[in-house]
mmCIF file of all heavy atoms in Angstrom:
data_model
loop_
_atom_site.group_PDB
_atom_site.id
_atom_site.type_symbol
_atom_site.label_atom_id
_atom_site.label_comp_id
_atom_site.label_asym_id
_atom_site.label_seq_id
_atom_site.Cartn_x
_atom_site.Cartn_y
_atom_site.Cartn_z
ATOM 1 N N VAL A 51 -152.509 -12.640 78.698
ATOM 2 C CA VAL A 51 -151.222 -13.433 78.987
ATOM 3 C C VAL A 51 -151.624 -14.654 79.688
ATOM 4 O O VAL A 51 -152.085 -14.678 80.806
ATOM 5 C CB VAL A 51 -150.247 -12.638 79.828
ATOM 6 C CG1 VAL A 51 -148.893 -13.389 79.985
ATOM 7 C CG2 VAL A 51 -149.981 -11.234 79.242
ATOM 8 N N GLY A 104 -148.173 -20.145 88.261
ATOM 9 C CA GLY A 104 -148.162 -20.102 86.773
ATOM 10 C C GLY A 104 -146.679 -19.918 86.409
ATOM 11 O O GLY A 104 -145.953 -19.083 86.934
ATOM 12 N N TYR A 106 -144.643 -18.289 83.243
ATOM 13 C CA TYR A 106 -144.863 -17.510 82.014
ATOM 14 C C TYR A 106 -143.571 -17.147 81.278
ATOM 15 O O TYR A 106 -142.496 -17.168 81.881
ATOM 16 C CB TYR A 106 -145.401 -16.234 82.504
ATOM 17 C CG TYR A 106 -146.935 -16.289 83.214
ATOM 18 C CD1 TYR A 106 -146.959 -16.658 84.577
ATOM 19 C CD2 TYR A 106 -147.962 -16.162 82.435
ATOM 20 C CE1 TYR A 106 -148.200 -16.711 85.120
ATOM 21 C CE2 TYR A 106 -149.202 -16.175 82.979
ATOM 22 C CZ TYR A 106 -149.347 -16.640 84.335
ATOM 23 O OH TYR A 106 -150.559 -16.703 84.891
ATOM 24 N N GLU A 156 -128.414 -0.769 86.266
ATOM 25 C CA GLU A 156 -128.368 -1.955 87.046
ATOM 26 C C GLU A 156 -129.509 -2.024 88.121
ATOM 27 O O GLU A 156 -129.240 -1.976 89.318
ATOM 28 C CB GLU A 156 -126.946 -2.213 87.681
ATOM 29 C CG GLU A 156 -125.884 -2.336 86.755
ATOM 30 C CD GLU A 156 -125.939 -3.419 85.752
ATOM 31 O OE1 GLU A 156 -126.526 -4.507 86.141
ATOM 32 O OE2 GLU A 156 -125.665 -3.227 84.472
ATOM 33 N N VAL A 179 -139.613 -2.116 80.421
ATOM 34 C CA VAL A 179 -138.331 -2.158 79.521
ATOM 35 C C VAL A 179 -137.157 -1.879 80.474
ATOM 36 O O VAL A 179 -137.236 -1.035 81.384
ATOM 37 C CB VAL A 179 -138.504 -0.920 78.542
ATOM 38 C CG1 VAL A 179 -137.209 -0.738 77.913
ATOM 39 C CG2 VAL A 179 -139.571 -1.214 77.527
ATOM 40 N N TRP A 189 -133.384 8.270 73.134
ATOM 41 C CA TRP A 189 -134.821 7.952 72.740
ATOM 42 C C TRP A 189 -135.798 8.890 73.215
ATOM 43 O O TRP A 189 -136.762 9.242 72.432
ATOM 44 C CB TRP A 189 -135.011 6.445 73.369
ATOM 45 C CG TRP A 189 -136.501 6.009 73.261
ATOM 46 C CD1 TRP A 189 -137.079 5.553 72.113
ATOM 47 C CD2 TRP A 189 -137.552 6.331 74.122
ATOM 48 N NE1 TRP A 189 -138.326 5.340 72.231
ATOM 49 C CE2 TRP A 189 -138.702 5.771 73.393
ATOM 50 C CE3 TRP A 189 -137.628 6.785 75.448
ATOM 51 C CZ2 TRP A 189 -139.966 5.735 74.049
ATOM 52 C CZ3 TRP A 189 -138.909 6.724 76.000
ATOM 53 C CH2 TRP A 189 -140.008 6.159 75.390
#
Side-chain angles (χ1 to χ4, degrees):
V51 182
Y106 295 84
E156 298 301 322
V179 169
W189 172 83

